[in-house]
Amino acid sequence: ALVVCGLLGIVVISYRQTIYAYPSGGGSYIVSRENLGKTPSLVAGASLLVDYILTVAVSVAAGVLAITSAVPSLAGHRVLLCLAMIGVMTLANLRGLRESAMLFAPPTYIYIAMLILLLVVGLYRIYVQGWGPIDVEASVAQGIVSPEAAELAAGTKALGLMLLLRAFASGAVALSGVEAVSNGVPAFRKPESRNAAITIAIMGTILGSCFLGVSIVAAHLRPYRGDLDPTGLALMARYIYGGPGILFWLTQVATFAILILAANTAYADFPRLASIIGADGFLPRQFAHRGNRLVFSNGVVFLAAMACVLIVIFDGNVSALIPLYAFGVFTGFTLSQAGMV
């Protein structure tokens, strides 16, 4: 967790430089194209497009997992629920849905507030009241988690290198989205670059603090889970709040909302980037065509179709999808920063 937070600091500092160097917007594709040439820019563009597809698949699967963590009876229908959510977002975007502060701001603030409350109460329980780890055997007996969780609890006495690398890869996914500010510098008030640089610094601070806080609480409470069990956050919320009460439900609903909004962001960015690469002649030019509602309809449909394929292949399993995410994230980061150097 400390290594991931250190990496987050490096990424924030470097993208602040990109913001000042490219006040008209400097995504990995643009920076690579301007400084490294055609092939590196296409690699950056490809990694971004793949990441946008994974953003939809991972965010929707994680959002559905947050809901099934609160309502376990729905767990058997997670793939259908994921496909239904993707269908709803696709229809909304084909009709010309646009991101707006009125839509995005409330769920974001509610989620941050619920996460900070969970951390404050959790740290109080641990360091003041002296609460110990979650009783895995009791959780299995109550049907909260599967027997796989107990096997994992017994089998992780020694941390192997592969387990540490997997933890790093999964944790590094927290960095995805940090570069989004550099893509949208022109959307900020004047002076655009200064305001964007302040925003990315604040965002990095909130993200790093929450990530480290969750890691500290999890290290003490040890929320072991099987691949298809409730999320670690849900298990900690249930334990910290003394059961599935109102605060537990608010945490799960806020988590679901923020993840679905994260998935919807890809519906704006994927078609836009695909249209730029299509106009450059490296993707079918149909990606550059706007539909009758002035959205890149072909990009929206292709994004949804590929996300659905991933959901079906990986059975809606977030743990299986997330490692794919890290590869594309780091490819974009590496090429962008190499271009800046």
Side-chain angles (χ1 to χ4, degrees):
L2 288 170
V3 172
V4 172
C5 283
L7 193 62
L8 173 63
I10 292 169
V11 170
V12 168
I13 291 167
S14 61
Y15 270 100
R16 279 170 60 90
Q17 297 168 4
T18 305
I19 286 166
Y20 285 112
Y22 290 87
S24 59
S28 300
Y29 178 69
I30 304 293
V31 176
S32 300
R33 187 181 66 187
E34 296 292 320
N35 299 289
L36 301 177
K38 181 174 74 174
T39 301
S41 72
L42 292 176
V43 173
S47 70
L48 279 170
L49 291 174
V50 170
D51 263 357
Y52 288 138
I53 295 168
L54 282 164
T55 294
V56 176
V58 171
S59 295
V60 168
V64 168
L65 183 57
I67 291 300
T68 57
S69 298
V71 189
S73 59
L74 295 175
H77 307 290
R78 69 180 180 280
V79 173
L80 285 175
L81 288 170
C82 289
L83 296 179
M85 289 307 307
I86 292 173
V88 169
M89 283 191 293
T90 302
L91 287 173
N93 280 276
L94 286 174
R95 291 184 62 83
L97 179 71
R98 282 286 177 267
E99 297 175 21
S100 72
M102 294 297 291
L103 177 67
F104 275 57
T108 306
Y109 290 131
I110 292 169
Y111 173 74
I112 292 173
M114 293 310 302
L115 187 56
I116 290 173
L117 178 64
L118 178 70
L119 296 179
V120 169
V121 177
L123 292 170
Y124 177 79
R125 301 274 197 227
I126 293 165
Y127 290 108
V128 178
Q129 295 185 327
W131 284 25
I134 297 169
D135 189 334
V136 182
E137 298 295 341
S139 296
V140 172
Q142 294 168 21
I144 297 170
V145 293
S146 64
E148 185 186 353
E151 294 171 18
L152 288 169
T156 53
K157 302 301 182 188
L159 284 174
L161 177 63
M162 291 304 295
L163 193 61
L164 283 168
L165 288 174
R166 179 182 170 180
F168 173 74
S170 297
V173 174
L175 275 63
S176 65
V178 171
E179 80 286 357
V181 176
S182 70
N183 291 331
V185 176
F188 285 84
R189 288 179 180 168
K190 293 181 179 181
E192 294 93 340
S193 294
R194 180 176 176 275
N195 288 331
I198 291 170
T199 300
I200 199 171
I202 293 170
M203 193 171 78
T205 302
I206 294 171
L207 173 59
S209 302
C210 290
F211 179 82
L212 196 58
V214 168
S215 301
I216 291 168
V217 173
H220 284 84
L221 299 187
R222 300 174 197 169
Y224 290 107
R225 57 179 292 274
D227 272 351
L228 305 179
D229 287 344
T231 63
L233 204 62
L235 293 174
M236 291 194 294
R238 181 188 286 266
Y239 181 65
I240 289 168
Y241 294 139
I246 184 68
L247 289 175
F248 169 83
W249 274 96
L250 280 173
T251 302
Q252 294 310 107
V253 171
T255 304
F256 170 77
I258 199 77
L259 287 165
I260 296 303
L261 290 179
N264 191 63
T265 303
Y267 277 89
D269 293 337
F270 179 95
R272 188 184 304 136
L273 179 59
S275 73
I276 293 170
I277 299 175
D280 287 347
F282 298 110
L283 276 178
R285 293 194 180 277
Q286 286 83 347
F287 280 110
H289 294 168
R290 291 183 185 269
N292 57 359
R293 289 185 179 266
L294 299 180
V295 295
F296 297 109
S297 306
N298 292 325
V300 170
V301 172
F302 183 82
L303 172 65
M306 294 306 297
C308 287
V309 168
L310 284 174
I311 290 289
V312 171
I313 290 175
F314 288 92
D315 201 31
N317 186 344
V318 181
S319 300
L321 284 164
I322 273 187
L324 300 174
Y325 216 153
F327 180 77
V329 170
F330 282 113
T331 302
F333 285 165
T334 303
L335 287 168
S336 175
Q337 300 321 311
M340 287 296 295
V341 171

